Amino acid sequence: MSKAKRLNEMIMMVNRRKRFTVKELAQEFGMSKRTILRDLQELSEMGVPLYSESGPFGGYQVLNERILPPIAFNEGEAISIFFAIHALRHYISLPFDSEYESIIKKFYLNLSGDIRDMIDKMKNRVEFVSVYQQEETPYIKQLLEVSIKQKIVIVGYEINGEITYRSIQPIGIYANEGKWYCPSYCFLRKDYRVFRCDRIKTIELDENTVPIDLSTIYLTNRFSLINRNKETYQLHVELTNKGVDKYKSTKWPNIELSKRKDGTGFLKGMILKSDTAFFTEFFINYGEDAMVKSPSELVDSIKEKLHTILKQYL
């Protein structure tokens, strides 16, 4: 029996028995006690919650936690999952109990030797390019938990070096270009806002504010639901080939990209009136690779911004 298979079967057995001795495992797997002790040490390093008790009635016991049973993946599936996990290394903060190193080690060590060899050969041949997270975001796990439970928290939010305190009810969290964001209902502004998670410096439960019903609002549908009564503009932007490629990496909800056969394309969709300033900066960054056709309010805003920039160089 291979080591990987033995460890998988050992996980299932200790999860089933909860309490066992080294002698019992040695008899079960036909291995020496020394080998079993090394296996138990490796299981512990992989995250299996074991603890030992000494004495005549001692042995090993599994803590009262659930352990997922092993799942059989074919080679292609295993390699795909490995590199999906591998991409998490770009984020120094994750909203889960386990850090990246623990996750990748546990999965990698449970693969057969030939698949591990194949992954080792592929590591320097394939890459998923992503922006590295630069700022610590210590509260993303709490923000995720309160969004699930529909709780309200008071956060200390830093903007330009100044911290303000406000009660928010998170909808969820998402990562984009190396940063974590938390769309929430802000009770101070009495409206929905998107908060940068790394700017949240303190967090505590708000027991005095009554939550609103966000049970049907998720990350995927929040724009259409929370913006339905707000003033919007119809957006039309022409893109060069480079503009099309650039927009693919920063797709916005409610804005659809259409690509022509020659590689150029155009954007059409709806934007909020209140987001005019944001999209002014956004499309100016495209330079000559984007031409905003409508709305006229956005065109005028871009002209005004460019005129202000030009005056700096006169």
Side-chain angles (χ1 to χ4, degrees), residues 176-177 239-252 257-260 263-265 267 282 286:
N176 185 32
E177 295 190 334
L239 299 175
T240 65
N241 300 57
K242 291 182 179 179
V244 169
D245 290 338
K246 188 172 183 179
Y247 185 75
K248 286 178 181 178
S249 63
T250 55
K251 187 176 185 300
W252 293 101
L257 169 65
S258 297
K259 187 176 179 180
R260 302 185 180 96
T264 65
L267 301 175
F282 181 78
Y286 276 63

Side-chain angles (χ1 to χ4, degrees), residues 108-234:
Y108 179 81
L109 289 177
N110 271 281
L111 297 175
S112 62
D114 58 331
I115 296 181
R116 289 203 300 267
D117 290 342
M118 178 61 69
I119 287 173
D120 291 340
K121 292 176 182 177
M122 294 177 66
K123 274 184 181 179
N124 295 322
R125 305 293 181 180
V126 62
E127 177 63 286
F128 295 91
V129 178
S130 178
V131 178
Y132 279 86
Q133 180 188 349
Q134 301 294 326
E135 303 291 338
E136 289 277 1
T137 50
Y139 299 115
I140 52 175
K141 183 171 185 278
Q142 291 95 317
L143 292 168
L144 176 59
E145 289 175 347
V146 296
S147 69
I148 294 171
K149 298 176 182 177
Q150 292 199 54
K151 299 280 188 179
I152 299 174
V153 287
I154 302 172
V155 298
Y157 195 66
E158 183 179 31
I159 301 178
N160 298 325
E162 181 179 347
I163 296 180
T164 60
Y165 295 88
R166 62 189 77 190
S167 293
I168 65 171
Q169 186 172 338
I171 295 172
I173 58 173
Y174 66 90
N176 185 32
E177 295 190 334
K179 292 182 176 61
W180 286 96
Y181 296 88
C182 180
S184 309
Y185 183 83
C186 177
F187 289 87
L188 176 65
R189 303 300 182 191
K190 298 188 182 339
D191 201 355
Y192 294 92
R193 294 288 188 270
V194 177
F195 296 91
R196 276 250 311 263
C197 296
D198 60 290
R199 291 179 177 173
I200 296 176
K201 304 303 179 182
T202 62
I203 186 170
E204 61 178 284
L205 281 176
D206 184 347
E207 305 287 358
N208 300 316
T209 305
V210 179
I212 61 176
D213 184 12
L214 298 180
S215 60
T216 60
I217 299 180
Y218 308 102
L219 293 178
T220 51
N221 68 2
R222 70 185 192 278
F223 289 98
S224 58
L225 292 179
I226 67 182
N227 295 330
R228 56 190 169 192
N229 296 321
K230 295 181 180 179
E231 187 173 355
T232 59
Y233 294 140
Q234 181 71 44

Side-chain angles (χ1 to χ4, degrees), residues 22-131:
V22 173
K23 181 179 179 180
E24 289 171 344
L25 291 183
Q27 292 174 345
E28 177 76 21
F29 292 97
M31 309 298 293
S32 68
K33 291 183 179 179
R34 179 177 296 181
T35 299
I36 294 299
L37 285 171
R38 284 200 299 265
D39 287 349
L40 290 175
Q41 177 64 31
E42 192 159 337
L43 289 182
S44 181
E45 292 175 355
M46 290 164 54
V48 178
L50 300 173
Y51 74 95
S52 60
E53 295 178 335
S54 58
F57 300 103
Y60 282 83
Q61 193 166 339
V62 180
L63 294 175
N64 188 25
E65 297 183 17
R66 287 181 295 175
I67 306 173
L68 294 177
I71 303 174
F73 296 109
N74 62 38
E75 180 176 334
E77 292 170 337
I79 292 174
S80 298
I81 292 172
F82 174 86
F83 281 101
I85 300 172
H86 190 53
L88 292 177
R89 74 191 188 284
H90 298 300
Y91 288 89
I92 57 178
S93 300
L94 295 172
F96 316 114
D97 288 326
S98 297
E99 296 300 324
Y100 162 77
E101 292 295 340
S102 173
I103 300 170
I104 199 72
K105 182 178 180 181
K106 185 181 297 186
F107 185 79
Y108 179 81
L109 289 177
N110 271 281
L111 297 175
S112 62
D114 58 331
I115 296 181
R116 289 203 300 267
D117 290 342
M118 178 61 69
I119 287 173
D120 291 340
K121 292 176 182 177
M122 294 177 66
K123 274 184 181 179
N124 295 322
R125 305 293 181 180
V126 62
E127 177 63 286
F128 295 91
V129 178
S130 178
V131 178

Side-chain angles (χ1 to χ4, degrees), residues 271-308:
I271 64 171
L272 292 174
K273 177 183 178 181
S274 58
D275 286 338
T276 300
F278 170 82
F279 282 106
T280 296
E281 300 281 353
F282 181 78
F283 287 116
I284 283 178
N285 288 330
Y286 276 63
E288 296 179 339
D289 294 317
M291 171 63 74
V292 177
K293 297 293 187 179
S294 65
S296 59
E297 291 83 357
L298 179 57
V299 174
D300 292 340
S301 179
I302 291 174
K303 289 180 179 178
E304 182 178 349
K305 183 69 175 181
L306 290 174
H307 182 66
T308 301

